[in-house]
Amino acid sequence: MLNDPGKQSETQPIEVRCYFVRERNALLVRGQFTPVYTDYYLHLMQHELRYEPDHDTLLKDAIAGLTLHLASRPWNEAAAWTLNFHDPLVNIFAAGSNRTAGVTGRIFTENVKSEGTQLFNSQITAAGEPVRQSSIEIE
């Protein structure tokens, strides 16, 4: 979340762990996101930005969800998610890569298109493979 790409984060890196529960045939993925949220709020303060509380929560949830998703995926993938909501009209964007162990996000409230349905759009890239895109309606 820092503006100087050469500078390391001022907070601790996070650790995301994946556990496969064989008896239940389930995958448990968890992480502690306090350092990410700390950098996020420092960035907002540095640039004097203020988001609506609901939008703020949606962005943090999208970043955490994408991070957990990437941790559970095969190595060398990058993903971008856009969540389009109509009431209020807002786009939540999150992107990340398990190659670089980086995530980012942004809230868009201006010039957001309303297509009549709320959508979750996903784009996945992996080295040597074509880009995969998918979209699904959300309520």
Side-chain angles (χ1 to χ4, degrees):
M1 292 281 180
L2 300 172
N3 291 326
D4 182 357
K7 186 176 180 185
Q8 293 297 315
S9 174
E10 294 170 353
T11 60
Q12 298 294 325
I14 67 167
E15 181 178 7
V16 178
R17 291 189 170 250
C18 300
Y19 304 93
F20 183 71
V21 184
R22 293 187 192 285
E23 301 82 33
R24 303 265 186 206
N25 199 27
L27 180 66
L28 169 69
V29 185
R30 67 180 190 182
Q32 176 56 259
F33 291 91
T34 303
V36 174
Y37 298 155
T38 300
D39 267 358
Y40 166 68
Y41 285 119
L42 288 172
H43 176 81
L44 292 181
M45 286 179 10
Q46 179 183 4
H47 296 282
E48 300 176 358
L49 297 171
R50 292 184 79 68
Y51 293 137
E52 295 290 326
D54 290 344
H55 298 169
D56 181 72
T57 300
L58 286 170
L59 178 59
K60 290 189 308 186
D61 288 349
I63 289 172
L66 181 66
T67 302
L68 296 173
H69 171 75
L70 286 168
S72 70
R73 298 292 303 155
W75 193 247
N76 209 22
E77 280 192 353
W81 291 353
T82 303
L83 295 98
N84 173 255
F85 297 101
H86 291 182
D87 188 22
L89 192 57
V90 63
N91 276 353
I92 305 295
F93 175 77
S97 168
N98 61 19
R99 287 180 285 241
T100 63
V103 292
T104 190
R106 184 164 176 193
I107 299 170
F108 294 93
T109 57
E110 297 176 4
N111 301 317
V112 176
K113 292 182 180 180
S114 177
E115 300 291 331
T117 59
Q118 301 185 122
L119 294 173
F120 172 82
N121 297 294
S122 175
Q123 187 176 55
I124 308 291
T125 62
E129 295 184 25
V131 175
R132 295 172 300 192
Q133 296 181 353
S134 61
S135 184
I136 188 168
E137 287 185 33
I138 55 176
E139 293 183 17

